[in-house]
Amino acid sequence: MASLEVWVHFAATTGSILLGAVMLIRQKGDGLHKALGRTWVVTMVFVALSSFFLPAFDPSQWSPIHALSVWTLVSLFFAVRAIRRGNVRGHQIWMICTYLGLLGAFAGTLFPGRLVHRILF
């Protein structure tokens, strides 16, 4: 039903949702937080960029979900920039917004007629 590219994108998205949840509930600022955070950022960049190259992607059918992919790239940039400048609060806000965008995009794929809806239901 779905191509390998779709399954890889789906797996990366699912992993990002789970890792993001872990990041939100665990202690902040330690070495593990930094390592997991870097992993999450790389995974999120992959998820966002890969959404534009899925086999079913047709630019004429651009949806709000793809706008959230652009949002993800922008918000990750500002989150990383904030923490590199020592702005912990700004970093937190941008990361939470990024995670909420991820959840919103995933929720959007669950609507009837979307591929993920057909796969899961």
Side-chain angles (χ1 to χ4, degrees):
M1 177 188 293
S3 67
L4 177 62
E5 294 88 350
V6 170
W7 283 109
V8 169
H9 178 78
F10 181 76
T13 301
T14 304
S16 292
I17 290 170
L18 296 174
L19 181 55
V22 168
M23 295 297 293
L24 287 173
I25 62 173
R26 70 173 308 283
Q27 177 183 343
K28 312 293 187 273
D30 62 3
L32 183 58
H33 174 83
K34 292 175 186 177
L36 292 175
R38 287 182 178 110
T39 301
W40 190 74
V41 167
V42 169
T43 305
M44 288 295 294
V45 168
F46 174 81
V47 167
L49 291 176
S50 68
S51 74
F52 295 108
F53 299 100
L54 294 174
F57 179 71
D58 176 357
S60 69
Q61 296 186 19
W62 218 77
S63 72
I65 294 171
H66 294 96
L68 286 171
S69 293
V70 173
W71 162 256
T72 297
L73 296 171
V74 170
S75 62
L76 286 171
F77 168 81
F78 284 112
V80 171
R81 186 176 80 163
I83 201 62
R84 286 187 175 168
R85 292 181 174 181
N87 180 357
V88 174
R89 184 69 182 138
H91 173 74
Q92 291 171 334
I93 291 168
W94 281 109
M95 283 301 198
I96 290 169
C97 289
T98 305
Y99 187 72
L100 292 175
L102 170 65
L103 294 179
F106 185 75
T109 66
L110 298 176
F111 282 98
R114 305 274 318 178
L115 180 59
V116 172
H117 182 271
R118 291 194 308 265
I119 290 170
L120 295 178
F121 305 108

